[in-house]
Every structure is written in structure tokens, then in C-alpha cells.
Amino acid sequence: MDFTPIIDGFGIVLQPTNLLYCLVGVVIGMLIGVLPGLGPAATIAILLPITYGIEPVSAIIMLAGIFYGAQYGGTITSVLLRLPGEASSVVTVFDGFAMAKQGRAGAALGIAAIGSFIGGTVSIIGLSVLAPVVAGYALDFGPPEYAALGLLGVLLVSTVGNGGKLKAIIAAAIGLLIATVGRDSFTGAERFTFGNLNLADGIDFVPIAMGLFGLGEILYNLEENHKKVHAPAKVTKVWPSRQDLSDSKGAIARGSGIGFGLGVLPGGGAVLSSLVAYAVEKRRAKQPERFGRGAIEGVAAPETANNAAATSSFIPLLTLGIPANATMALMFGALLIQGVQPGPQLVDTHPDIFWGVINSMYIGNILLLIMSIPMVGVFVRILKVRPAILAPITALITMLGVYTVNNSVFDIYLVIVFGVIGYLMKKFGFDPGPMVLAFVLGTLIESSARQSLLIFGGDPTGFLTRPISGTILAAIVAVAIFPLVRRAIRAKRGEPAGAPAPTEASPAPVPDRETTEAK
Amino acid sequence: MTNVRTRTRIASVAGAAALALALSACGGVKTASGGGGDASGGSDYPTKSIEMTVGASAGGSSDLISRAMSKGMGQSLGVAMPVVNKPGANGALVAKALQSAAPDGYSIAIQNASLFAITPLAVSESEAVKVDDFDIVYGVSRDDYVLATNPKTGWKSIADMKAAGKTIRYGTTGVGTGAQLNSALTFATAGIKATAVPFDGGAPNLTALLGAQVDVSTMQVGEAIENIRAGKLVPLAVFSADRVKFLPDVPTAKEQGFDVQVSQYRFITTPKGTPQAVKDKLVEAAKKTFATEEYKKFNEQNNLTPLEIPGSEVATKLKADLESNTAKLKEFGISLASNS
């Protein structure tokens, strides 16, 4: 491997102008990550016109900074306000918010920052070394593999969340149903659109997430207000204790690997990776019932994984010219505006951009770590504001944020509708998490499965004969059957003393009813 | 508390911006209601900023073209011409909004030919967008389609593909797109058995072809060109009357004996009934933009061929294309909607 271009790349990043743009990018990123409703995709879209006048390398460095900076910032609202700004922060809510309620918000944010830094850095190193190699591997993932991955994701959905398992499945089923709204992309037929053109492309993720989590939570809190103090009094220790660090060590290591691996896949791995990382920790844990009640691994794993995935999602863009998600699509657009065509030749034709962007991430991650530890205290003060003041402001910013994504008033109505649904779900003890995640995976499963069948000429055994999809399907079967088998064996041997007899189907050792908050 | 104040300030600034937007929108409507009886007939146009809507999200070619045009035309007209993205339903959302906007020249859009000449073949009558519902001001540029394969297949031409003697799985960028129409017509004319695999847009379609998940794909030249140059894709044919200058070595489908030539082109539209004086000013501004070096360079970089022709010619072309597409689909018994 020739290291000259990499070193030249550092030379480019360390120019004062580029350092400044990197700093501007990560600060904006963190800020919009904290402001619920305004995601990196919307921000980059808004800033796109500004990049006309900036040097290509500087522009991309800034935009990249916004993207991964937002991953840091999103954690803060997930933990403190139970408002995930991005789909990839949804699972952080479960334990992050629980920790905040126990007064351990500082430790949660601290470990998330550390995990994000490690995950991001591991991923950048991977990006530097593997970018050229991974190109070929990513392409082996065709529709059959995505269909199988999506199924695995839905299976995992039922193990996350802190409502009952049955409620999680109901919520997930509704999520899958909502995913079918819109024009059938195979036949052009309208499904559940009621002749409304706004629904022709289906429902966007943003209004659903903002409604269910954002507005729903605000409404619910208004009701709960007089009963209890919602916000933790203060964040005492931002730096996690030695115990916290040793608890999350493994989670961070595994999260880095999972995030890097899944983030590379075109189609967007940040959501899946945070979900998988969380589920893996929960499965490995000696006391899985701690999850959903403030387990620090439950924050460390998904936060590490989503940052690692955010970074590695640059691989398909920079090596193949394939945007892995909406934000990468905007990056693609930004490069095109600058007259740079991302593709397999980018590393040869524009090594300055290729290595400049990658190396800027090392610097950006260090800047973020330096900023987030002391600044956490600043952000935490938001929580001291009375909900009567904070709630309307958050609601307003949410609405504005949703509007700016597509300039669509219809999306505002959607947020209100899903806000009411989210409120009712919370009130009746349903967790909106599985619904949102199933919604995200629903479209992927449907279109990939149908594409696969077209490719196979209608023969479903094709899923089993392809090596990767076959392996994933085998894993699904194993994951689904294993707990049943274990239960059967246990039943044969007689219930071990101390363990309560599971009366309802509860394959995974999930704490069932007792965690249902509303009761 | 300082933090709260900052947040409040951000919110109020944002609120003020939203209010300003709302006010200017109201203003637009008011001007419009008085606009019909306006004696000036648009001779003092433009007096305020012109909103250009795009029916696609930021970053795609429709968006880039709109931004390049708005920059040039705004400078020439001396007013701001903000580009507003309203993605949805292949651009039909913008079409509906534009149709009902005031015909005063302050709402314009650059629209795609496929929405008028191909999509109607795949969607219900009520959803189909019609040429006569708009004033077409001027043509902008053309984007050609290329049929490409993965090098693993070893094919170099449409004939090679036919000689393979198997059912071809071809990727398209979606139902009712030029990519789908070109492929379907080619396979029908050549008598090749084929199954369409629709993907949600250009990027997944390209990925599937690079990974040899499908045998061939049709996509816009700009989407494929980097991979063609890198040798990761082999072009089989371009679907245009003459060879595309960005891919001079690639024969057209017609040269290979299959008369299929559907291309994507874009043009400036305004709501029906926009005063002629206003349209003339827009045409003048567009022509000035076309003449700039910056814009020419933009076309080159994005593999776009200029299609700078008067609006009436664009309208005629759109109608002719819709007619010929309808006739051809009928002739071969193809339905874009049922995925045959």
C-alpha cells in the first residue's frame, strides 16, 4: 500500500481553512443533532447552495462534519429528552432515558461520547485500509441478501423495547402496514393513498419518528407533569466511573465491529447496526433484565455502532459512487455541484478529496470528543427549563424541522397525527420503538423480496441457495428456534429453582410486564 | 439560562423566517388575483423574487439543473430565484401545485418529459399530468439513456445478449420511467424474453448491475459513465437518434437495428395563462444563462445535451412522444404497469 496520498491527505486537512471548516461542520452537526426535528440530511440540503463558493475539499469536509457531528448530538436528545433525532438513535432511548431518570444522564452521555469516538475512529481506520478492498464485497449483497437482512431486523425488533412482547409485535405489525402506504413501486398501483398525491411516495420516516417520539412524548409529558419531575435534577458526573467503563468495554468493541460491517452495505446500515449491537449486548448479558432500565451497555453499544456505521457508510459513496443513505445522497449531490463525480475512479482522479475527507474525520472525531465532554453540561441545562416553556419550543422546532425537509405542509399534519398516535400508544403501554423500526425495515423487505423473486424467476428456493442470504436465513431460524429449544429442555428437566415459570411465550429472557411503564 | 435564551432566539428567528415566507406567499396570491386585470400585463416583471420548484430531492440531476438555471436566470432578471425542493410522486406533486399557482410568472418550474410522456402510461387517468395544463416556456437540456451490462456476461451488443438465448433480467429505475420504457421496447423489438426488476431510483439499480444481480440495466448516461470509463460496466447501446457525445464509441440502438429512442428532457414551465410579456422575459433570461461559460461547463460535467428550443416545439415533441410511446406499447402488447 502506498501511503503517500494518505499523508498528503493529512497535509490538506491540517491547512487552517480546512480545519476551520471541519470545526464549523462538527459544531453545526452537534447543534442540529441536539435540536429535535432538524436532521443532517435537511441541514446539508439547506447548506448545499453555500457550498457553491467553497473549495470542493473544504465543502465536503464541512458537510461530512455535519453528518457525523449529528450522530453525537442526537445521543444527547435521546438520553435527555427521549427524542431520537435519527432512526439510528432509537434504541439508545431505551436505556439512555432510563439512566437519565436515575440521575445517571452524565454517565450515559459520557459513555456515548467515548463509544462514538472509539467506534468512529475504528471505522475510519477501517475505511483507510479497507476502502479499496470492500468495494467488491459490498456488491455481493443483492436483493435476496437485503430481504434476509430485513427479516433478521424484524426478528430483532421484537426483542427490543420495554413494553410486553405481544405489544411489541402489535406495534411492529402496524409499522409494517404503514410501510405499505404509497404507490406500489412494481406495478404503479396505489395502496392506501386515498387518491392523495402526498401519499403516493409513501410516508416519510421523519414525520413518523418526529410524531411518535417527539410530539407524542411532549403530549404525554404534559399530562404527567404535575405527578412527577420529568427531568433529572442535574448531571453530576460526565466522566463515566471505572465500573461503567469496564462494563461497556466489550459493548464498545463489539459495537465498533458491527457498525463498521453493517455500515458499509449500500442501503444504509446505521439503523440496523445500532439495533443489532443493542440486541447482541442484550443476548450476551448475564442479567438481560437490566436492559431497558438503564444498562450502560445499552447506551454504549448502539451509540458506538451508529457512529462506526456513519463513517463506514462513506465507503460505498467514495469507492462505488453509491450513496448508502439519504445523507450520502446529498453528499453525492454536493460533490457533483463541485464537478466531482464519485465513483470507482475517485481515489485516482481526486485523491485530495478522497483522502482529505477520510482524514478530516480523524480530526473531527477528536474535536467532537473534546467538545462533547465539557459541553454536555451545557446541553443538560436544557432539562432544567420548565416543560411549559420547553414543550412548545420543542414542538415548534419539530414542526419547522419537518417542514424544511420536503417543504411540505402535509408532513406537518402527519406529525400531528403520529403525535396523537404516539401519545395514545404511550398511554396504553405500547412502545413506539418497534413500530418505527418495523416501518423502516418494511419497505426494504417488501421490495427486496419481490425483486429477488423476479431475479429467481419466481423460485423461492433461490434465497436458500445463495451463500450469503442462505447463511442469514439459517441464522434467523437459529435465533428463532434456540429459545424454544432451550425452554423445551428446561421444561424436561423441570424448572430450575428461583426462575418464575414463563406463562406466556417469551423466547428471549425479556422482562415482560413489570417494565411496562404506564401501569 | 443563557442557553434557554439562545434557543428561544433561534426559535424566534426561525419563526420570523417562517412568518416572512407565509407573508410573501400571501402576497403572491394577492398579486395574482389582481394580476388578471393588470394593465401592465407583466411589463414591469419581475418586481420580486421568483420561486422555482423542483419535484425531486436535493442532489439529483433535476435539482442540479434547476439550481444552475435559477442561478443564471436570477442574475439576468436581477431578482432572487430560490429553488424549493418538493419531492414526491415523480414530480407530480410539483405539477399539481404549479397548475393551481397564480399565472403571474412568480412560480416557475423545470419539469421532466417522462412525467408527461411516459408516466401517464403507467398510472391511472386521474393522476396523469397533461401538457396542455401548463405553459411551456423553453426547452433546457436532454439526458440520454444507455443500456449497460456487467463485464461478466461478456456481451458487447444487443445481438450478443439475444444470442445468449436466456430470459434476461433487467434492472430499471422504477415503473413509468424512460429506463423501463427503453428496455421494454428493445426487448420486444428484438424478440428477447425478459423480466423487469424495478429498483427505487438510479443508485440501487446501478448497485444491482455492478453486483451482477441483474443481467443488464438501463440508466441515464450520467449515472453510468464513471463506471463505464472504469471498465466496471460495458455499454451495449444508447437510446438516442445520434451517438451521445459523452460516449462516442457506443452505437445507438437504431444502428443495431432496433429503433428505440426515448430520452429524458427538461423544460421551463409556468402555470397556464401566464402573460406573454412575462414568458418573453423568462426566455430572454434563459437564453442568457445558456450562453454563459459556467452553464456550458455544467452541462458538460453532467453529461447533458442542450435542448434549447422554443416552448411550442417542446409541447409538440411531448405530445408526439406520448403518442408514439402509447402506440408502440400497444403494438407489442406491453404494459408498463403490470410488469410483464
Side-chain angles (χ1 to χ4, degrees):
Chain A
M1 195 171 172
D2 181 16
F3 285 98
T4 329
I6 304 180
I7 294 160
D8 288 348
F10 271 113
I12 293 166
V13 180
L14 293 174
Q15 285 164 10
T17 340
N18 290 336
L19 271 182
L20 183 67
Y21 276 114
C22 188
L23 182 68
V24 170
V26 295
V27 171
I28 295 177
M30 252 186 109
L31 189 69
I32 56 134
V34 170
L35 295 177
L38 200 60
T43 312
I44 292 174
I46 293 165
L47 290 181
L48 219 44
I50 300 175
T51 61
Y52 283 128
I54 309 176
E55 282 291 301
V57 183
S58 311
I60 303 303
I61 286 176
M62 181 178 81
L63 296 181
I66 293 176
F67 179 52
Y68 54 78
Q71 308 286 334
Y72 272 73
T75 315
I76 298 177
T77 50
S78 283
V79 170
L80 298 184
L81 299 172
R82 205 174 182 277
L83 274 175
E86 292 280 291
S88 56
S89 301
V90 170
V91 287
T92 309
V93 165
F94 304 140
D95 285 285
F97 189 62
M99 285 180 74
K101 280 200 294 196
Q102 293 159 12
R104 299 181 68 219
L109 292 172
I111 204 76
I114 293 168
S116 294
F117 174 73
I118 295 174
T121 308
V122 166
S123 212
I124 303 162
I125 295 170
L127 180 62
S128 312
V129 178
L130 289 177
V133 186
V134 187
Y137 159 82
L139 285 175
D140 288 337
F141 272 75
E145 285 71 29
Y146 281 111
L149 262 186
L151 271 182
L152 183 63
V154 166
L155 186 72
L156 296 174
V157 160
S158 63
T159 68
V160 301
N162 52 9
K165 184 160 281 278
L166 184 66
K167 285 181 172 174
I169 290 171
I170 292 172
I174 296 171
L176 289 174
L177 179 70
I178 297 172
T180 65
V181 172
R183 187 178 287 157
D184 183 330
S185 58
F186 291 74
T187 64
E190 303 284 319
R191 303 189 299 194
F192 306 112
T193 59
F194 308 102
N196 189 332
L197 264 187
N198 286 301
L199 287 172
D201 279 349
I203 300 174
D204 219 17
F205 165 75
V206 180
I208 290 194
M210 288 295 105
L212 288 179
F213 290 110
L215 207 57
E217 180 71 20
I218 293 168
L219 291 173
Y220 187 73
N221 282 342
L222 288 180
E223 183 180 90
E224 289 284 290
N225 232 352
H226 353 266
K227 295 184 198 159
K228 60 172 184 191
V229 182
H230 169 62
K234 69 181 195 193
V235 174
T236 42
K237 271 170 61 186
V238 177
W239 195 256
S241 67
R242 195 165 292 174
Q243 178 65 37
D244 289 338
L245 284 174
S246 82
D247 281 349
S248 1
K249 191 165 69 189
I252 289 176
R254 285 183 288 274
S256 302
I258 292 167
F260 178 76
L262 292 178
V264 169
L265 305 176
V271 183
L272 265 184
S273 70
S274 61
L275 189 57
V276 171
Y278 185 85
V280 163
E281 290 314 310
K282 193 165 173 176
R283 294 236 163 217
R284 288 183 54 99
K286 292 202 184 77
Q287 301 158 288
E289 61 277 4
R290 282 172 43 245
F291 281 77
R293 294 190 199 157
I296 195 154
E297 304 98 294
V299 176
E303 280 309 311
T304 306
N306 69 23
N307 258 63
T311 308
S312 65
S313 65
F314 275 88
I315 292 180
L317 180 76
L318 296 176
T319 60
L320 298 170
I322 295 165
N325 53 43
T327 316
M328 285 300 124
L330 287 162
M331 294 282 184
F332 190 94
L335 284 167
L336 280 179
I337 287 177
Q338 301 281 359
V340 178
Q341 173 86 42
Q345 288 182 316
L346 183 71
V347 64
D348 294 325
T349 52
H350 294 281
D352 53 331
I353 291 188
F354 188 85
W355 293 110
V357 172
I358 292 178
N359 291 346
S360 76
M361 295 185 204
Y362 288 104
I363 313 284
N365 262 290
I366 295 169
L367 289 175
L368 279 169
L369 185 68
I370 296 171
M371 282 196 322
S372 33
I373 301 279
M375 274 173 66
V376 156
V378 178
F379 288 117
V380 165
R381 284 199 205 144
I382 297 167
L383 275 188
K384 288 190 182 165
V385 184
R386 286 215 322 279
I389 297 168
L390 192 61
I393 293 176
T394 320
L396 178 71
I397 294 175
T398 305
M399 297 295 180
L400 275 174
V402 162
Y403 178 76
T404 56
V405 177
N406 287 336
N407 294 306
S408 159
V409 179
F410 183 77
D411 283 355
I412 295 182
Y413 297 138
L414 275 182
V415 172
I416 296 171
V417 169
F418 281 101
V420 172
I421 295 174
Y423 163 73
L424 292 174
M425 283 178 81
K426 259 217 94 170
K427 203 164 163 58
F428 293 104
F430 286 86
D431 196 304
M435 180 165 154
V436 170
L437 293 166
F439 168 76
V440 173
L441 296 172
T443 320
L444 177 78
I445 296 173
E446 192 207 331
S447 57
S448 305
R450 291 173 71 182
Q451 281 157 359
S452 308
L453 287 171
L454 286 169
I455 290 171
F456 299 147
D459 178 10
T461 56
F463 285 108
L464 303 171
T465 52
R466 288 171 62 115
I468 302 178
S469 68
T471 311
I472 299 170
L473 287 174
I476 293 174
V477 173
V479 172
I481 287 184
F482 174 67
L484 296 177
V485 172
R486 195 173 50 179
R487 201 151 57 106
I489 293 170
R490 258 193 211 160
K492 227 175 185 177
R493 272 190 292 178
E495 273 306 320
T503 46
E504 67 183 75
S506 167
V510 182
D512 265 87
R513 297 174 206 137
E514 59 269 41
T515 47
T516 309
E517 244 178 84
K519 303 219 165 142
Chain B
M1 279 322 273
T2 42
N3 206 261
V4 182
R5 225 168 274 144
T6 320
R7 283 175 67 92
T8 320
R9 199 171 300 144
I10 291 167
S12 63
V13 167
L19 194 65
L21 269 178
L23 284 177
S24 68
C26 292
V29 175
K30 236 179 241 163
T31 321
S33 56
D38 196 343
S40 64
S43 59
D44 58 345
Y45 173 86
T47 53
K48 58 175 182 166
S49 64
I50 301 166
E51 187 181 89
M52 185 185 265
T53 43
V54 192
S57 45
S61 42
S62 291
D63 175 67
L64 293 180
I65 292 168
S66 298
R67 287 180 194 276
M69 287 300 293
S70 83
K71 199 176 167 197
M73 290 175 74
Q75 269 166 13
S76 160
L77 290 168
V79 292
M81 202 183 263
V83 175
V84 180
N85 299 86
K86 284 186 185 163
N90 253 342
L93 272 183
V94 156
K96 296 277 165 183
L98 191 69
Q99 216 176 315
S100 52
D104 54 7
Y106 293 102
S107 310
I108 68 171
I110 291 181
Q111 293 190 282
N112 294 338
S114 61
L115 182 65
F116 295 85
I118 303 172
T119 313
L121 302 169
V123 301
S124 63
E125 178 73 16
S126 62
E127 264 187 82
V129 180
K130 293 175 194 68
V131 181
D132 290 335
D133 292 339
F134 300 91
D135 279 353
I136 296 178
V137 178
Y138 217 76
V140 178
S141 55
R142 199 183 79 210
D143 211 346
D144 289 303
Y145 289 97
V146 57
L147 175 69
T149 186
N150 191 293
K152 282 183 199 159
T153 61
W155 303 335
K156 301 267 186 277
S157 65
I158 298 177
D160 289 351
M161 183 168 65
K162 188 175 180 179
K166 61 171 202 164
T167 304
I168 306 287
R169 319 253 177 245
Y170 66 96
T172 73
T173 51
V175 170
T177 60
Q180 185 198 14
L181 183 60
N182 272 319
S183 319
L185 288 177
T186 306
F187 291 120
T189 343
I192 301 174
K193 273 183 75 180
T195 306
V197 183
F199 290 93
D200 188 16
N205 182 31
L206 175 63
T207 320
L209 184 61
L210 286 172
Q213 314 289 347
V214 289
D215 301 313
V216 295
S217 277
T218 299
M219 55 203 116
Q220 291 178 354
V221 170
E223 290 169 338
I225 201 158
E226 281 300 309
N227 281 293
I228 290 175
R229 285 181 186 146
K232 306 219 166 176
L233 293 181
V234 178
L236 301 179
V238 287
F239 298 103
S240 49
D242 305 302
R243 290 195 178 196
V244 177
K245 77 168 173 181
F246 307 102
L247 291 170
D249 301 330
V250 183
T252 63
K254 200 175 178 186
E255 282 176 59
Q256 301 183 46
F258 310 102
D259 187 11
V260 181
Q261 33 179 296
V262 179
S263 59
Q264 176 70 295
Y265 47 96
R266 297 181 176 84
F267 39 85
I268 305 167
T269 55
T270 55
K272 193 85 192 159
T274 306
Q276 193 56 45
V278 169
K279 285 191 277 186
D280 289 347
K281 285 201 176 149
L282 287 171
V283 170
E284 194 188 319
K287 282 183 177 165
K288 275 189 190 156
T289 308
F290 295 148
T292 59
E293 277 310 308
E294 194 186 350
Y295 179 78
K296 285 181 184 161
K297 209 175 132 206
F298 167 83
N299 270 349
E300 290 284 325
Q301 276 170 351
N302 290 280
N303 310 290
L304 298 167
T305 311
L307 185 79
E308 291 147 12
I309 56 171
S312 55
E313 284 178 36
V314 176
T316 316
K317 187 170 159 58
L318 281 170
K319 285 180 188 165
D321 282 353
L322 178 60
E323 220 163 87
S324 98
N325 291 341
T326 315
K328 278 193 179 151
L329 288 180
K330 210 170 190 181
E331 183 190 337
F332 294 109
I334 312 170
S335 157
L336 291 186
S338 73
N339 187 38
S340 54

